[in-house]
Amino acid sequence: MADDIEEMGPIDWILVEFSGPPTGAAAPHLLDLVERGLIRILDLVLVNKDADGTLTVLELADVDGDGELDLTVFEGVRSGLLGEDDVAEAGEAMEPGTSGVFLLYENLWAAPFAVAVRKAGGQLVASGRIPVQSIVAALDDLEAAES
């Protein structure tokens, strides 16, 4: 197992919040990333946060009630790395009356670089992500300043 870990790419997590139940519309795109070998899903947890703040873990199935199985392709994708405490903490970031997809994944595309860095004695000491909405706002501010 230790050898496998040494060959892994960086691990990321995201929490995507939906105003209603997720429809599964993004699932084919996620599956495409997996099939092309860009990512490996380690954990995928679907949660619902009621209006009173109660968090419930949902089964991956027909989440929007239209009779089509939206997310079952990801059923059973649980490594156990995301525990109940992690899910509860993620749920705190969600607004009441929403649902969310909590995803833990390995960046397979970056594995060769990550392995080379580790073999050279390097280690990741900081990382970050800039939401697209922030980039759009910054570009809007730049454009307004130039006007």
Side-chain angles (χ1 to χ4, degrees):
M1 179 70 172
D3 291 337
D4 291 342
I5 291 172
E6 288 298 316
E7 300 299 315
M8 288 183 78
I11 307 296
D12 283 331
W13 64 268
I14 59 172
L15 174 64
V16 180
E17 182 181 82
F18 297 90
S19 58
T23 63
H29 299 285
L30 182 59
L31 188 57
D32 180 59
L33 293 173
V34 172
E35 289 174 347
R36 289 192 295 145
L38 298 174
I39 66 169
R40 175 171 57 140
I41 299 173
L42 302 173
D43 281 307
L44 191 146
V45 181
L46 184 63
V47 294
N48 186 66
K49 188 169 185 177
D50 293 336
D52 68 1
T54 302
L55 193 68
T56 306
V57 174
L58 304 173
E59 294 298 317
L60 297 175
D62 179 14
V63 295
D64 61 4
D66 68 357
E68 294 182 28
L69 299 177
D70 307 308
L71 301 171
T72 55
V73 68
F74 300 113
E75 189 172 19
V77 180
R78 291 296 301 266
S79 69
L81 291 172
L82 288 180
E84 289 180 24
D85 291 344
D86 299 314
V87 174
E89 187 175 333
E92 290 178 19
M94 295 171 56
E95 292 293 322
T98 62
S99 63
V101 176
F102 193 16
L103 179 66
L104 181 72
Y105 61 95
E106 175 188 3
N107 291 285
L108 294 173
W109 61 269
F113 174 70
V115 168
V117 166
R118 287 191 291 271
K119 287 182 178 178
Q123 66 179 346
L124 180 65
V125 294
S127 181
R129 180 154 288 145
I130 302 170
V132 171
Q133 297 89 335
S134 296
I135 297 292
V136 169
L139 291 173
D140 287 346
D141 290 347
L142 285 173
E143 187 176 307
E146 292 175 357
S147 302

